[in-house]
Amino acid sequence: MILIDGKQTAADIKKEIAAEVKEMKANGAKTPHLAAILVGHDGGSETYVAYKIKDCEEVGFKSSLIRYEDDVTEAELLAKVEELNNDEDLDGFIVQLPLPAHISEQKIIEAIDPKKDVDGFHPINVGRMVIGLPSFVSATPDGIVELLKRYNIETSGKDCVVVGRSNIVGRPMSVLMSQKGMNATVTVAHSRTKNLKELCANADILIAALGAPEFIKGDMVKEGAVVIDVGTTRVKSDLTKSGWKLKGDVLFDEVAPKCSYITPVPGGVGPMTRVSLLKNTLLSAKKEIYK
Ligand code: NAP
């Protein structure tokens, strides 16, 4: 069994990005610039945005953080999105989700200029991704593809089961795996899927993105399978200072001995998600997606 080290791979990619940024700047290009809009004080969102800002610093990007309280109106947020769309120094920006219930997330996402949508959530980027055009790809599936490639894991002709069909993970993941280049035969499973156990147990590549801690047990995995665990659920723990522990969707101790490759939680998919946002920002700065 080979443990896929997302932390190390992400660190390697960050070094590559930092070297490229250094060279770009030496050649007179402007500094890539990423902005984040953060609404309210949700603990998870605060942490994710703080990481994004730190990541920018590490690779030599400029970053901006725009904060609003929970009572910001949809109109105010839309006006800020419009301002950022027109900010020529800015290569990309993200609006950290979730937003308060009185704001339509979809409306905000669709207001973002697709050319600056480095989260890859805008329907134009999703559509372009589906038909195989250059696009900003949602960070988590993009990070998983990068891991599979860097570990030289064969995907062509393999049976891949993706458990989960969300717009940010399962759905785009299933599309990417079926595309030319990856060439897997993909099944998308969800909460209404019949015989999930048998389906998973036949997969050469199993991607678990359902958000149910330790749901995938040993008897749901084929000998020699590649298992990618996307799940990150905070569960109560007396053993940590924070009072919680991060759990994946896979019961690691049972599943790992059967696998050819497996990602751990933490240290697997998570760090790759972070690095993919940097990749997208760099692609935008270099105008490689939209000329
Ligand atoms: P989500 O929007 O809640 O989607 C979960 C999906 O799983 C849904 O499609 C749901 O089916 C399906 N599902 C739920 N329970 C199921 C069950 N018992 N059997 C089969 N399918 C089931 O979640 P998400 O945003 O995609 O995130 C999934 C997990 O990944 C979460 O733990 C999240 O924290 C984690 N995540 C991690 C990263 C990272 O960087 N590591 C990034 C993003 C997300 P229905 O559609 O039928 O409801």
Side-chain angles (χ1 to χ4, degrees):
M1 181 274 290
I2 295 175
L3 192 67
I4 298 179
D5 190 342
K7 202 170 163 195
Q8 183 59 49
T9 310
D12 293 345
I13 297 173
K14 268 198 219 166
K15 275 197 199 129
E16 292 163 18
I17 295 175
E20 197 171 340
V21 171
K22 202 170 161 195
E23 197 184 324
M24 281 166 67
K25 288 190 201 168
N27 292 332
K30 81 166 194 64
T31 303
H33 185 184
L34 173 72
I37 299 181
L38 175 59
V39 178
H41 298 275
D42 172 76
S45 294
E46 293 260 10
T47 310
Y48 295 139
V49 168
Y51 280 147
K52 287 167 190 176
I53 304 279
K54 185 171 158 277
D55 288 341
C56 283
E57 279 167 15
E58 268 181 54
V59 297
F61 288 0
K62 184 175 164 188
S63 65
S64 304
L65 173 59
I66 300 136
R67 298 199 70 134
Y68 288 101
E69 291 302 322
D70 283 322
D71 60 357
V72 65
T73 65
E74 189 176 272
E76 279 175 285
L77 213 49
L78 285 169
K80 179 51 83 176
V81 166
E82 187 57 21
E83 187 190 314
L84 299 186
N85 282 342
N86 294 314
D87 181 339
E88 287 190 1
D89 188 58
L90 208 55
D91 298 294
F93 64 99
I94 61 125
V95 180
Q96 185 66 43
L97 303 178
L99 293 172
H102 66 278
I103 298 172
S104 159
E105 290 187 352
Q106 197 53 33
K107 210 164 165 181
I108 301 295
I109 288 171
E110 291 190 39
I112 298 172
D113 182 344
K115 296 188 180 71
K116 293 194 173 178
D117 168 41
V118 285
D119 257 342
F121 293 164
H122 192 289
I124 296 229
N125 278 314
V126 179
R128 288 175 65 99
M129 185 266 294
V130 170
I131 60 174
L133 288 175
S135 60
F136 294 119
V137 175
S138 168
T140 302
D142 182 67
I144 293 170
V145 167
E146 188 73 36
L147 272 184
L148 294 171
K149 285 186 177 161
R150 291 202 177 219
Y151 274 81
N152 293 315
I153 293 172
E154 183 61 81
T155 55
S156 184
K158 300 292 179 189
D159 288 327
C160 172
V161 172
V162 180
V163 188
R165 56 175 166 183
S166 72
N167 287 345
I168 62 164
V169 188
R171 178 84 58 204
M173 190 71 241
S174 67
V175 173
L176 292 173
M177 290 302 287
S178 72
Q179 259 161 351
K180 285 197 174 152
M182 300 305 279
N183 293 317
T185 306
V186 183
T187 305
V188 184
H190 45 77
S191 64
R192 309 291 174 92
T193 297
K194 280 191 287 182
N195 307 328
L196 184 64
K197 187 173 159 184
E198 291 74 16
L199 205 62
C200 292
N202 280 315
D204 301 314
I205 302 171
L206 177 61
I207 303 177
L210 61 159
E214 300 183 333
F215 182 91
I216 304 288
K217 311 278 193 285
D219 61 356
M220 297 172 80
V221 175
K222 181 159 100 174
E223 266 321 313
V226 175
V227 173
I228 306 292
D229 189 353
V230 186
T232 46
T233 308
R234 286 180 177 188
V235 296
K236 272 196 179 155
S237 168
D238 298 331
L239 302 173
T240 61
K241 225 164 55 178
S242 60
W244 55 266
K245 198 168 178 263
L246 214 53
K247 283 255 190 250
D249 287 344
V250 174
L251 184 53
F252 187 88
D253 290 347
E254 252 183 55
V255 171
K258 299 182 82 175
C259 296
S260 54
Y261 293 87
I262 186 167
T263 60
V265 176
V269 173
M272 294 301 290
T273 297
R274 282 170 59 183
V275 100
S276 286
L277 180 65
L278 298 175
K279 269 172 61 193
N280 277 347
T281 305
L282 186 61
L283 286 172
S284 182
K286 288 166 37 187
K287 307 251 178 302
E288 284 197 7
I289 303 294
Y290 297 96
K291 306 291 170 197

